[in-house]
Amino acid sequence: MLAPFMTLLTLFVTMIGGPAAAAFPDRPVTLIVPFAAGGSTDVTARMIAPYIEKNLHAGARVVVSNIQGGGGDVGFATISGAIPDGHTIGFINTPSFLTIPLERQARFDPKLFDPLVAIVDDPSTVVVPAGSAIATPVDLVAFARTTPQKASFATTGVGSDEQLSMLKLQELGGVRFVHIPFPGGAHIYRALRNGNVMVAGMNLSEALRAREEGRITILGQMSRNRHPVAPDLPTFREMGFDIAMGAMRGIAAPRGLPDDVRQVLVDAITAAAADPDFQAKAKATYQPLRILGPDAFADELTAMDRDYRALWAVSPWSDR
C-alpha cells in the first residue's frame, strides 16, 4: 500500500509545488526587419509590434531589429538561422525573398522558413522629386530615350519589385536606366530630396506618405486596378504600360517551431493585424493590408516562386 501512496504523494507535490514550464515567450521576441529603418517594412513592423505584444501573455515584449544588407539577404538569413523556439521571427518580403536565390548564392534558403501571417500587399510606384518636368511614365520614357546617361533609377536592390518594374518599363519603352541600388526606402527618399537621383521605385504606402510632405510626385501605381488607398492615382496599365508589380510583406519564423509555440505566434499576429486600432493606424499611413493565414500565405509564396522562376528562365535580370 505504501508504494501507490508515495506515487500519489509525489504527483500531488509536483502539481502544487513543482517547477512549472515557462510560458512562451519567456524573454523578448525579436522581430527582424531585413531593411533599413524608415522604409515601408520598418514602418509596418514598428506599427504592429505593440499589438503582437498585447496578444501575447502579460509582460511579453516584441523588439524590432533592423538587419540590413544584400537587399534583404542578410536579414532573411538571420531569421532562418535562428533557433526555432519562437523568440526570433521576422518579415519576409516578395519578390526579393524569392528572387535573391535565383540571382546568386544566397545566404538563406526559402524552404527553411515557416510563413506565419501575411500582412501587407503593397503595389509598386515610380516617383520623381516635386517640381520635376517629368509628370507621366510617357515623359519618363522620353527623357530616358533622349538623355540615357542622366536617367538614374533608385531601387532597394537587385531582384526587388522596384528593379523588376524598372526592367519591365525598360522593355516596354525601349530604353535603359542607370540602376542605383540603396539599402532601403528611407535612403531612396533622402537621395530624391537631395537631388542625387532623378527617379525612384517606391511602394505605394511610402510614396503616399512622402507625397503628403510635398517632396515628390507619383507617376502612377502598378496595381492591376486603382488601389482603394489611392483612388486618384492612375495605374501604369491605364497609361499604356502593362506592368503589375508589388511587394507582399508578412511575418515568418525559422522552420521547426514547436506546434504550440507556432500557434501562439499565429494567433497573436492575426489578432494584432485585426485590431481596430492597428487597422486605423495602417489606414492613416496608407498600408495596403491583406491578411493571410499560414496556409494561404504559403500558397501565395509558392505561386510567386513559380512565376519568378519562369520569368528568370526567359529573361534573367541583373544589376543593370
Side-chain angles (χ1 to χ4, degrees):
M1 297 293 292
L2 182 60
F5 174 78
M6 292 303 296
T7 300
L8 289 171
L9 180 61
T10 301
L11 179 59
F12 178 73
V13 170
T14 300
M15 290 174 63
I16 65 170
F24 170 80
D26 59 12
R27 59 185 183 277
V29 173
T30 298
L31 177 60
I32 292 173
V33 173
F35 303 98
S40 288
T41 307
D42 184 66
V43 170
T44 304
R46 293 181 188 279
M47 188 178 298
I48 200 168
Y51 296 93
I52 299 175
E53 281 185 351
K54 173 183 170 183
N55 286 283
L56 294 171
H57 66 72
R61 292 186 59 217
V62 176
V63 180
V64 177
S65 176
N66 297 86
I67 301 179
Q68 65 190 66
D73 196 358
V74 177
F76 296 147
T78 304
I79 299 167
S80 64
I83 296 171
D85 61 4
H87 289 94
T88 301
I89 57 178
F91 272 85
I92 56 174
N93 300 48
T94 64
S96 55
F97 175 71
L98 300 170
T99 56
I100 288 174
L102 295 178
E103 304 153 3
R104 59 186 187 270
Q105 186 66 43
R107 296 174 174 88
F108 68 95
D109 181 349
K111 294 185 179 67
L112 299 180
F113 289 74
D114 185 357
L116 301 177
V117 181
I119 298 169
V120 169
D121 199 351
D122 206 349
S124 300
T125 69
V126 174
V127 306
V128 295
S132 171
I134 296 170
T136 69
V138 174
D139 296 340
L140 176 58
V141 167
F143 180 89
R145 184 172 292 119
T146 56
T147 53
Q149 70 281 1
K150 293 184 179 180
S152 56
F153 196 113
T155 79
T156 55
V158 177
S160 63
D161 58 305
E162 298 98 339
Q163 194 214 12
L164 297 186
S165 65
M166 175 192 77
L167 296 178
K168 187 66 175 177
L169 186 58
Q170 285 184 164
E171 175 191 339
L172 295 176
V175 297
R176 280 286 179 270
F177 298 104
V178 178
H179 181 209
I180 305 178
F182 285 84
H187 294 79
I188 290 175
Y189 185 35
R190 284 195 293 271
L192 276 171
R193 288 186 306 177
N194 296 335
N196 296 327
V197 294
M198 61 149 291
V199 63
M202 282 187 175
N203 287 123
L204 181 60
S205 58
E206 61 191 342
L208 291 171
R209 291 193 297 273
R211 187 173 69 171
E212 279 190 339
E213 298 180 10
R215 303 286 189 113
I216 65 159
T217 297
I218 306 173
L219 302 188
Q221 59 180 307
M222 294 182 179
S223 50
R224 296 186 181 278
N225 301 292
R226 296 193 187 196
H227 199 283
V229 301
D232 63 309
L233 194 63
T235 67
F236 269 64
R237 285 180 165 184
E238 290 176 56
M239 295 179 284
F241 298 92
D242 189 9
I243 309 174
M245 190 69 64
M248 178 173 281
R249 299 193 287 276
I251 296 175
R255 187 163 293 280
L257 291 179
D259 289 344
D260 57 340
V261 170
R262 183 179 190 266
Q263 194 60 54
V264 167
L265 286 169
V266 169
D267 290 347
I269 298 166
T270 302
D275 190 292
D277 288 343
F278 168 74
Q279 295 217 346
K281 290 179 180 178
K283 182 177 181 180
T285 52
Y286 307 108
Q287 300 282 315
L289 297 180
R290 185 184 178 202
I291 315 302
L292 299 176
D295 292 342
F297 190 8
D299 288 346
E300 285 282 330
L301 293 173
T302 298
M304 290 181 192
D305 183 59
R306 183 173 58 247
D307 292 345
Y308 290 130
R309 287 181 182 278
L311 178 62
W312 178 261
V314 174
S315 181
W317 55 87
S318 62
D319 191 6
R320 59 183 173 86

